[in-house]
Amino acid sequence: MFFLIIIITLQDCEIIEILFTMAYISFDKQHLVNLEFTMNKEILRSNRSGAFCNTTIIGCNTRKYHGLLVVPQPQLDNNNHVLLSSIDETVIVNKEEFHFGVHQYEDGTIMPHGHKYLREFSAEPIPTLLYRVGGTKITKEYIFAENENRIYIRYNVVEAAQPITLRLNPFLAFRNVHSLTHENYDANRKYTPLKNGASWQMYENYDPLCLQFSKSVEYTHAPLWYYNTFYIREFERGYDAVEDLYVPGFFEVNLKQGETVIVSAGLEEKSPATFKRQFESLLESRIPRDSFEHCLQNSAQQFIIREKEGTRMFAGFPWFGSCGRDTLLSIPGLILTSGDKKTFKELLKYLIDTMKGPFFSNRYYQKSLYYTAVDSPLWFFLILQKYENMLGATKKSIWKDYGEVMSIILNSFIDGTDFNVKTLENGLLYAGNENLALTWMNVFCDGKPYTPRTGLNIEINALWYNALRYAVEVLKESDKKNADLQKWNEVADKVKDSFTKCFYNEQTGVFYDYINDNERNNEVRPNMLIAISLPYCPLNDDLKKKIFDITRSELLTNRGLRSLSPRSEFYREVTIGNHRERETAYHNGTVFPWLIMPYVDAAVGLYGKTSLPYLEDLYNAFEEVIAENGIGTISEIYDGNPPHESRGCISQSTSVAAVLYLKYVIDGLKK
């Protein structure tokens, strides 16, 4: 009670500064004036259409994917497009101008230096910045609409000795997220007046960008191109990194202490009278980022895309689209841990509706679907097992809903199907050729798969065995007279008899990662861990423990599991450089958080509750990264060597899902 009395007696500006300090994720002036620090910290918010806002915490864009309003344009190519790149604020006090924007240019120039006016950043409950210019203090808050392509930005004059003028300059791009733009004569420089704002449509067939204010403003149309904006992260990744941005004019609004103005940027004109209500409603619906678990839950929501074609899942932001494998790997952590049966069924329906033979679409790009994944159909069976165990579904209901799909997958793989996928006489599953990469290790260099793993793969055949055994158990309860029951059981028996002989060398104690006519690859990779994590495993407990011990010793880190042992001559310590350098490293030492899921299942399966302290340590270690790169989320990958710097997408569905699944298992063990 005493604490509350103190707050009540403070001035408004002091209250705000205390709230910043108390926030779970916050940074002070000392951090914010350091560009090396702030330009590695990004905020992200998406909506159910896949649109998003993504920039650094100080608003300086460092990627071509950054923008305040990045939206799908299905009438063009169904990719995301950056419409509103950024907004530069200028505060005018006594005719003196203070510029809050921050841009980096090709020659290394930073202009303006808006970060020097920053005092605090907080992620709770939404990204909020506190600026100070002399005796004037202003907060800036971002919130992204969940069910429409619109961002709201709220400016609040916390303290001002006299009225001020706030000037806003919008920077427009109107281009695909994967490309860059430059000054051109095709750009339409006209504007359309709106209620408290204006709209622009730089190119034909684009949706217009509508920028409006919650109160009356003055717009001055003064078209300019700003040249040579530089995106340092693209430069580091070996891509083109310079573009020109179009600024059509500027808005000015007069404000005094205690006044607020809300800016709306969307694809349609809207009544400014609704902005305040919409902002507050969105704010109330947010899961707060006031704890590690809440950050994960908040992040988990952002991968779900709901369209008229169905519900699907984004693999990662800001550049990945949908991926069948990633969807299946993410479902346990993102969906089943929260008991969301409705979304679970919707996601599977989308995958099933877009199947091609026994294969789920593994990539969705520019309205085209790609199917090169032999493991996704087998992960499908594990997801059904987790659906049964985590949400209490019965085997009979699973067969009723998904029996046809299970049959298509298993019988196609037994008979032989696309991509040279076939069952051998010994029951093992063969897949691929030298020009294909059908497993999760699927990067390409110079048009060829870097890790093709053609032939018999240890995790694919373990998944194959698990799928067959589970399907047999489902049929025993649901349809005992089904002709497939005996067939699937016989193939499963063959796999069990062949698996250890094929993948374990008793003389050397080595487990082969994959085998074909030309090679028996004995690199230490996490694929053997996947094999021992499954409910039905063809290996005995002694061999399972041996694999687990090797995994812990050579692959486990506090960010997930390495994709290759550091003892290998092909091991890469970091995943940096141009495209070729990064692809070379991607599956040769890079740490993947998603591999925590099979690690957890293997640990609990072998050691039960005694694994709890180690799993808790792993979970707690991930809290360190929640404010390191993507604020409030988990990155796609991390370097193989300490300090395990984050790389790749700043927010990855499989990474967030794995940590949420880890928490779910920990809670279950405690109960």
Side-chain angles (χ1 to χ4, degrees), residues 85-281:
S85 177
S86 62
I87 294 177
D88 274 16
E89 302 90 359
T90 299
V91 171
I92 304 172
V93 183
N94 279 336
K95 298 184 179 180
E96 187 174 359
E97 298 183 357
F98 302 91
H99 305 287
F100 288 177
V102 186
H103 298 272
Q104 185 171 12
Y105 292 94
E106 186 178 15
D107 62 1
T109 300
I110 302 292
M111 187 66 67
H113 297 91
H115 57 293
K116 70 182 182 181
Y117 302 115
L118 279 168
R119 293 298 177 265
E120 300 281 351
F121 167 88
S122 170
E124 166 60 21
I126 56 176
T128 305
L129 292 159
L130 174 63
Y131 292 88
R132 179 174 179 173
V133 177
T136 301
K137 292 185 178 181
I138 298 175
T139 59
K140 174 183 176 181
E141 302 166 279
Y142 300 93
I143 198 161
F144 206 74
E146 188 163 327
N147 295 310
E148 64 173 323
N149 297 330
R150 187 176 301 275
I151 186 173
Y152 294 98
I153 305 173
R154 181 167 67 180
Y155 299 92
N156 178 29
V157 182
V158 179
E159 183 178 356
Q162 55 193 308
I164 66 167
T165 298
L166 178 64
R167 178 188 298 158
L168 300 184
N169 292 73
F171 285 66
L172 313 186
F174 276 75
R175 46 87 176 164
N176 187 295
V177 289
H178 300 298
S179 62
L180 294 170
T181 190
H182 297 279
E183 181 184 21
N184 61 86
Y185 293 109
D186 293 328
N188 179 5
R189 298 192 174 206
K190 297 179 182 178
Y191 78 99
T192 301
L194 303 177
K195 174 69 173 177
N196 294 356
S199 73
W200 310 271
Q201 186 182 18
M202 287 184 65
Y203 305 105
E204 190 177 356
N205 296 326
Y206 266 93
D207 285 322
L209 171 65
C210 301
L211 199 67
Q212 296 175 271
F213 292 68
S214 58
K215 60 183 300 181
S216 180
V217 295
E218 180 181 340
Y219 174 63
T220 300
H221 192 60
L224 288 173
W225 283 89
Y226 279 67
Y227 304 116
N228 301 324
T229 301
F230 180 66
Y231 303 124
I232 190 170
R233 298 294 164 253
E234 304 308 320
F235 176 78
E236 292 170 347
R237 286 157 46 84
Y239 298 131
D240 292 339
V242 180
E243 81 168 339
D244 306 329
L245 292 170
Y246 175 63
V247 179
F250 59 89
F251 298 89
E252 289 188 343
V253 57
N254 296 321
L255 300 168
K256 59 185 178 181
Q257 181 170 310
E259 280 195 312
T260 295
V261 63
I262 297 174
V263 180
S264 161
L267 307 185
E268 299 174 344
E269 183 176 8
K270 200 165 187 174
S271 170
T274 67
F275 291 173
K276 182 178 179 181
R277 183 173 69 252
Q278 289 288 328
F279 193 100
E280 294 296 338
S281 176

Side-chain angles (χ1 to χ4, degrees), residues 434-664:
E434 62 180 8
N435 296 314
L436 291 171
L438 299 178
T439 73
W440 73 277
M441 293 186 164
N442 60 354
V443 297
F444 277 70
C445 281
D446 301 325
K448 287 186 174 288
Y450 192 83
T451 315
R453 303 180 71 232
T454 299
L456 303 173
N457 296 268
I458 189 168
E459 86 282 6
I460 299 301
N461 276 280
L463 286 163
W464 173 232
Y465 177 75
N466 179 71
L468 288 163
R469 281 285 186 243
Y470 182 63
V472 166
E473 293 304 314
V474 170
L475 270 185
K476 284 180 179 178
E477 286 196 21
S478 308
D479 190 5
K480 291 182 180 180
K481 296 182 180 180
N482 193 304
D484 285 330
L485 179 59
Q486 182 178 351
K487 177 171 65 172
W488 295 347
N489 198 43
E490 288 176 355
V491 176
D493 287 342
K494 287 183 179 181
V495 176
K496 183 173 177 61
D497 291 340
S498 305
F499 193 92
T500 302
K501 298 174 187 176
C502 177
F503 290 105
Y504 181 60
N505 187 327
E506 291 186 6
Q507 294 180 338
T508 62
V510 168
F511 292 91
Y512 296 116
D513 184 58
Y514 65 90
I515 295 171
N516 55 45
D517 292 339
N518 302 314
E519 183 180 9
R520 288 180 174 266
N521 187 282
N522 58 8
E523 295 284 3
V524 175
R525 296 185 180 276
N527 302 308
M528 60 182 178
L529 173 76
I530 295 172
I532 67 168
S533 70
L534 303 169
Y536 297 96
C537 177
L539 294 170
N540 63 43
D541 284 350
D542 288 340
L543 291 180
K544 284 198 252 183
K545 289 178 180 178
K546 185 169 186 176
I547 286 176
F548 189 80
D549 290 343
I550 295 171
T551 299
R552 285 197 64 182
S553 173
E554 300 187 37
L555 303 180
L556 181 64
T557 75
N558 60 3
R559 298 291 177 264
L561 275 74
R562 295 184 179 99
S563 47
L564 180 65
S565 168
R567 297 182 180 181
S568 170
E569 62 177 302
F570 301 108
Y571 178 75
R572 297 292 182 270
E573 300 178 355
V574 296
T575 310
I576 58 174
N578 60 32
H579 181 262
R580 179 182 176 81
E581 291 167 335
R582 285 181 285 109
E583 296 294 80
T584 300
Y586 196 68
H587 292 124
N588 284 320
T590 299
V591 173
F592 288 82
W594 78 263
L595 290 164
I596 290 170
M597 187 173 80
Y599 177 82
V600 169
D601 285 343
V604 174
L606 287 170
Y607 301 107
K609 282 189 175 182
T610 60
S611 62
L612 181 58
Y614 306 102
L615 299 183
E616 286 186 306
D617 287 345
L618 185 56
Y619 178 77
N620 293 332
F622 264 95
E623 189 167 10
E624 300 170 7
V625 307
I626 208 71
E628 280 186 0
N629 188 215
I631 301 300
T633 189
I634 310 291
S635 295
E636 173 193 0
I637 53 176
Y638 293 84
D639 285 339
N641 273 20
H644 305 298
E645 294 286 345
S646 61
R647 307 292 181 191
C649 277
I650 65 163
S651 184
Q652 189 77 5
S653 64
T654 53
S655 299
V656 175
V659 182
L660 280 169
Y661 182 76
L662 173 59
K663 180 66 164 60
Y664 174 87

Side-chain angles (χ1 to χ4, degrees), residues 44-58:
L44 169 75
R45 188 73 201 186
S46 70
N47 68 9
R48 300 296 68 79
S49 76
F52 63 85
C53 160
N54 182 205
T55 184
T56 62
I57 60 174
I58 60 170

